[in-house]
Amino acid sequence: MPHIRPIPTLTEKKLLELETRANQIRKDLIEMLTVAGSGHSAGPLGLADIFTALYFHVLRHDPKKPMWEMRDRLLLSCGHVVPIRYVAMAHAGYFPKHELMTLRKLGSRLQGHPEISHMPALENTSGPLGDGSPQSAGLAYIAKKEELPWHTYCILSDGELEAGITWEAAMFAAKYDLHNLTWIIDRNNIQIDGYTKDVMPLEPLRQKFESFNFHVIEVDGHNIAEFVDACRYAQSIWEHPVVIIAHTIPGKGVDFMEFDYKWHGAPPGKGPEDKVARNKQRETALKQIRTLGGTIQSECE
Amino acid sequence: MAKNEKSNLVSGWKQRKEVQMVPTRNGFGEGLLECGEKNSNTYVICADLTESTRTAAFEEAFPERFVRFGVAEQAMAAVAAGMALAGKRVWIASYAAFSPGRNWEQIRTTACLQNQNVKIAGAHAGVSVGPDGATHQMIEDIALMRVLPNMTVLVPCDAEETRKATILANEIDGPVYVRFAREKSPVFTKKDTPFELGKAQVFRNGDDIALIGCGTLVYECLHAAELLSEIGIEARVINNASVKPMDEETILKAAKECGAIVTVEEAQVAGGMGSAVAEFLAEHHPTPLSRIGMQDRFGESGEPQELLEHFKLTAPHIKTEALRVLKRKN
Ligand SMILES: Cc1ncc(C[n+]2csc(CCOP(=O)(O)OP(=O)(O)O)c2C)c(N)n1
Ligand SMILES: [Mg+2]
């Protein structure tokens, strides 16, 4: 019988809290990237809702005891999206928010790509795509074998799936029915050179994973309730590792970044200028996030 | 003094503020375009970094000889070898951390052991990659490539020389590694500065000590020589871009005539260009020597220039190291 710590159901009130939090996290992300002067915007914005859900509802963790042995493990395989993780962690209380402004600077714990030698709570060092998911399988393998109660989550980007190592790890995870492992795919359809379907088509992605003996759940990656449900559902699957394919919008929340692969690796103030001038990118982005989804309509207009 | 200086270097190279700044990767992009024009057997494969490896111009000019491969450096290397088996000259382009960092075995077996025309373009090498941090700052690539039989290793010093190195690499039969960097760096060589396989260029004459560099830090060697000259020490500056095959004659001559050596590279000293010099001299003419580079550690996030200072890779540090080695000279 698997060792499971059920994820609590999500109340309406909590959902609203999470949505508000995700918005705040997006704003801090924009401020942080602008100050850093380099770094990735599209992927991190697209993952804001998922990271909020993970750190504020799904994960068993203790920011005051980051290395608590029984914590759930959250690995990042696509290290370039780490800015969103840093902001979520600061919000959760892992370190002071002002430290976000040291991103990518000499001596900072917030390296351009995550490094556990600088901050152990990041769980794994990543950046070179493909290396995180096999490590998550290694962790889950030991946890299952030793009947440890924690769950292992790993976030992968879609372009990353082109790396063969992902599928080598998938075979291993399926061979040992690592049901205590959940991969979350940021299916945002972009990579550096363009849309994934043009650079290297990934579809049919669901069938690929199914044929590798994963249980596949597809969600709207911006619907926090749906995502939390998927994580809860994943806990009830005992015979396979689970992959949640989260359909996301790169740059979500900032219309001039949304769906645009040119924003993969640029921060506000240094991005493409076709829609918004560089010196206006930060403030325009912040303004849009404030009114995101019409939920918090034009408070200052 | 400085007999070759006039013929080999652009005038005004000494003025840091005036010298033209161009990333070496741009020279690669230009050279690649020339390769494509000269030889219709030239193919390019890129692993999702078309813009930043500067292969976009080739893609635009020769779309039918360009492949966007996605994030798959291992297969990219072996597919290139397959195309080479079919008679093509195939460039694979990515960041050095991933190619040759990730696909070393594929390069070893399919490119080197089979001795095929696979040309590896290693972009964003060195710590000057900057804020991306250690994962992306490739500093072990020279070592990785240098140990492979049949492999040629070229580490050009500026954009102009990278252009030449690219053209040369395409002409050589067999696997070649060309290393270049992300940041803008001084263009201090000229169109007619010689660049030959297995030949090092003496950029400055001097008999007191030899500064042997490769890559963009050769420019720092030249400035270090100026600093040394101010205190009466004349340093010979050697651009050792052809790391393999290496110009043993020029190195041996420098060892004999100068009697002290500092090697300089933006790479791990273990196994790097300096190690190649040290190995050769240990067997043929033991000489007091010191290797400047990354000293058995990884890089970290920071601004490129800040990191070069932090890791002691710039002219003042080269001068300090030269003075230390000179104490061991007999
Ligand atoms: C092994 C490897 N090759 C290349 C890169 C350079 N790189 C960084 S992100 C990326 C692809 C981006 O696509 P995706 O992973 O989907 O991320 P997104 O743009 O959606 O955030 C590439 C090629 C890398 N980090 N690792
Ligand atoms: Mg993507």
Side-chain angles (χ1 to χ4, degrees), chain B residues 9 17 25 43 46 53 69 82 92 109 140 162 172 204-206 210 220 237 292-293 307:
Chain B
L9 305 180
K17 294 232 167 71
R25 56 182 165 149
Y43 277 68
C46 185
T53 59
F69 209 81
I92 56 174
T109 307
E140 293 82 18
T162 308
I172 297 169
R204 185 188 195 280
N205 281 326
E220 294 302 314
V237 176
I292 289 182
L307 290 173

Side-chain angles (χ1 to χ4, degrees), chain A residues 171-241:
Chain A
M171 280 191 274
F172 167 80
K175 176 181 176 186
Y176 292 101
D177 298 330
L178 300 180
H179 61 82
N180 56 341
L181 174 66
T182 301
W183 285 358
I184 299 158
I185 310 240
D186 178 25
R187 184 68 173 118
N188 66 4
N189 296 293
I190 64 156
Q191 54 189 109
I192 294 179
D193 277 354
Y195 298 107
T196 53
K197 73 172 168 31
D198 299 326
V199 178
M200 191 53 72
L202 292 165
E203 296 297 338
L205 192 54
R206 175 185 197 101
Q207 286 87 333
K208 276 194 179 69
F209 274 107
E210 280 172 349
S211 70
F212 273 71
N213 269 335
F214 270 59
H215 188 94
V216 182
I217 308 170
E218 295 192 59
V219 300
D220 168 357
H222 304 301
N223 184 329
I224 290 179
E226 208 179 293
F227 175 73
V228 169
D229 257 1
C231 292
R232 285 165 48 82
Y233 175 23
Q235 288 192 317
S236 69
I237 309 291
W238 291 359
E239 294 186 341
H240 304 285

Side-chain angles (χ1 to χ4, degrees), chain A residues 33-290:
Chain A
L33 289 172
T34 308
V35 170
S38 72
H40 302 73
S41 297
L45 278 170
L47 284 167
D49 301 304
I50 286 176
F51 268 95
T52 305
L54 285 169
Y55 271 107
F56 290 90
H57 192 79
V58 173
L59 293 179
R60 296 302 176 88
H61 67 127
D62 181 355
K64 298 298 162 223
K65 278 198 295 175
M67 304 318 282
W68 171 45
E69 274 190 25
M70 291 304 148
R71 72 193 182 280
D72 287 337
R73 271 40 170 199
L74 172 61
L75 281 78
L76 197 53
S77 199
C78 46
H80 67 277
V81 304
V82 73
I84 193 65
R85 178 174 197 158
Y86 289 146
V87 182
M89 285 174 77
H91 273 250
Y94 280 87
F95 53 85
K97 280 190 198 158
H98 63 77
E99 198 174 338
L100 292 173
M101 297 307 146
T102 68
L103 175 71
R104 293 180 155 245
K105 308 252 186 268
L106 186 60
S108 173
R109 293 197 290 170
L110 312 190
Q111 292 290 295
H113 291 81
E115 281 186 52
I116 53 171
S117 55
H118 290 260
M119 189 180 282
L122 293 166
E123 305 290 4
N124 71 311
T125 292
S126 58
L129 295 166
D131 291 352
S133 56
Q135 295 183 65
S136 70
L139 273 163
Y141 174 78
I142 294 298
K144 185 178 177 192
K145 198 154 161 263
E146 299 188 355
E147 302 188 349
L148 301 167
W150 40 271
H151 197 94
T152 303
Y153 297 90
C154 182
I155 300 202
L156 297 78
S157 56
D158 51 1
E160 170 174 35
L161 303 178
E162 292 157 3
I165 187 173
T166 308
W167 304 98
E168 297 171 30
M171 280 191 274
F172 167 80
K175 176 181 176 186
Y176 292 101
D177 298 330
L178 300 180
H179 61 82
N180 56 341
L181 174 66
T182 301
W183 285 358
I184 299 158
I185 310 240
D186 178 25
R187 184 68 173 118
N188 66 4
N189 296 293
I190 64 156
Q191 54 189 109
I192 294 179
D193 277 354
Y195 298 107
T196 53
K197 73 172 168 31
D198 299 326
V199 178
M200 191 53 72
L202 292 165
E203 296 297 338
L205 192 54
R206 175 185 197 101
Q207 286 87 333
K208 276 194 179 69
F209 274 107
E210 280 172 349
S211 70
F212 273 71
N213 269 335
F214 270 59
H215 188 94
V216 182
I217 308 170
E218 295 192 59
V219 300
D220 168 357
H222 304 301
N223 184 329
I224 290 179
E226 208 179 293
F227 175 73
V228 169
D229 257 1
C231 292
R232 285 165 48 82
Y233 175 23
Q235 288 192 317
S236 69
I237 309 291
W238 291 359
E239 294 186 341
H240 304 285
V242 173
V243 60
I244 299 174
I245 299 177
H247 296 274
T248 63
I249 296 168
K252 172 73 179 179
V254 178
D255 74 354
F256 62 91
M257 295 183 186
E258 285 184 0
F259 300 104
D260 187 350
Y261 61 83
K262 291 191 291 307
W263 277 99
H264 155 88
K270 299 228 173 120
E273 292 205 271
D274 50 339
K275 296 187 201 100
V276 177
R278 289 200 168 154
N279 61 358
K280 291 267 188 296
Q281 290 175 348
R282 173 186 158 273
E283 60 182 272
T284 312
L286 287 173
K287 186 156 172 260
Q288 291 194 355
I289 291 168
R290 226 176 288 138

